Amino acid sequence: MIPTTDLCDEFRDQLTLAKPIFRQFGLKRTFAGPIKTVKVFEDNVLVKKALETIPEGSVLVVDGGGSMRCALMGDMLAEIAVNRNLAGIIIHGMIRDSQEINEMNIGIFSLGTNPFKSIKEGKGETDVPVEFAGVEWKPGEWVYADEDGIVLAKEKLK
């Protein structure tokens, strides 16, 4: 993947920068791909379903409302993403099992960690535009993420 710094140098007017509110987890430090979205609140049923069904190479963007009261993903869900060869995951919420996740070949950005698991009611929405970190995440648009930041583009740039 082209570093976000190089993308910003070449395509500045075509990129939107997400606010740097995330921590990085997993062995994969850079990733890019088309956005697929899930909007939930303290419930990860639709997160699991999306991980099992979105196309290979996609980036799952989870709007968890910024809740820090429970985790929306742990090592078992991260393992699904690894096995399905998803590009990465961005969660506006928390994860757990961070030690295990940090040994997996996946890239995850989240607000942090919390040992509590989520509820399992299946409430929420999929494939809808969501807004957090100062940007709108639209299904089908592209996201590029690495240690220097997360940028969004309307289409694949390189």
Side-chain angles (χ1 to χ4, degrees):
M1 188 190 99
I2 298 171
T4 57
T5 52
D6 292 349
L7 285 171
C8 289
D9 289 349
E10 188 173 346
F11 299 102
R12 182 182 185 104
D13 295 340
Q14 298 174 50
L15 294 169
T16 305
L17 176 66
K19 290 181 182 175
I21 61 173
F22 301 101
R23 289 177 52 195
Q24 209 171 3
F25 300 92
L27 293 174
K28 200 188 256 187
R29 306 308 287 174
T30 66
F31 60 85
I35 295 169
K36 297 291 183 181
T37 63
V38 174
K39 185 173 184 173
V40 295
F41 188 75
E42 299 180 359
D43 182 339
N44 76 348
V45 171
L46 293 179
V47 175
K48 182 180 181 190
K49 184 177 178 183
L51 289 168
E52 295 171 336
T53 59
I54 65 173
E56 179 178 321
S58 298
V59 175
L60 180 60
V61 174
V62 179
D63 181 357
S67 174
M68 296 185 169
R69 297 191 301 196
C70 67
L72 292 175
M73 175 176 291
D75 61 339
M76 292 190 299
L77 294 190
E79 187 66 33
I80 295 170
V82 171
N83 292 337
R84 296 210 52 250
N85 200 27
L86 299 183
I89 303 162
I90 299 170
I91 303 175
H92 189 225
M94 308 298 270
I95 67 161
R96 65 189 216 156
D97 303 315
S98 62
Q99 184 174 357
E100 293 86 350
I101 288 172
N102 281 334
E103 296 174 8
M104 295 179 169
N105 188 31
I106 189 68
I108 299 175
F109 283 84
S110 78
L111 296 178
T113 60
N114 184 314
F116 283 101
K117 65 181 180 181
S118 74
I119 58 174
K120 311 280 189 250
E121 294 178 351
K123 295 179 180 175
E125 299 175 88
T126 59
D127 257 356
V128 296
V130 295
E131 196 169 327
F132 60 87
V135 295
E136 187 174 24
W137 310 78
K138 295 180 183 175
E141 293 189 355
W142 275 68
V143 60
Y144 300 84
D146 63 20
E147 290 96 335
D148 288 319
I150 301 172
V151 293
L152 287 75
K154 296 200 179 299
E155 59 192 12
K156 183 178 182 178
L157 297 176
K158 281 197 169 188

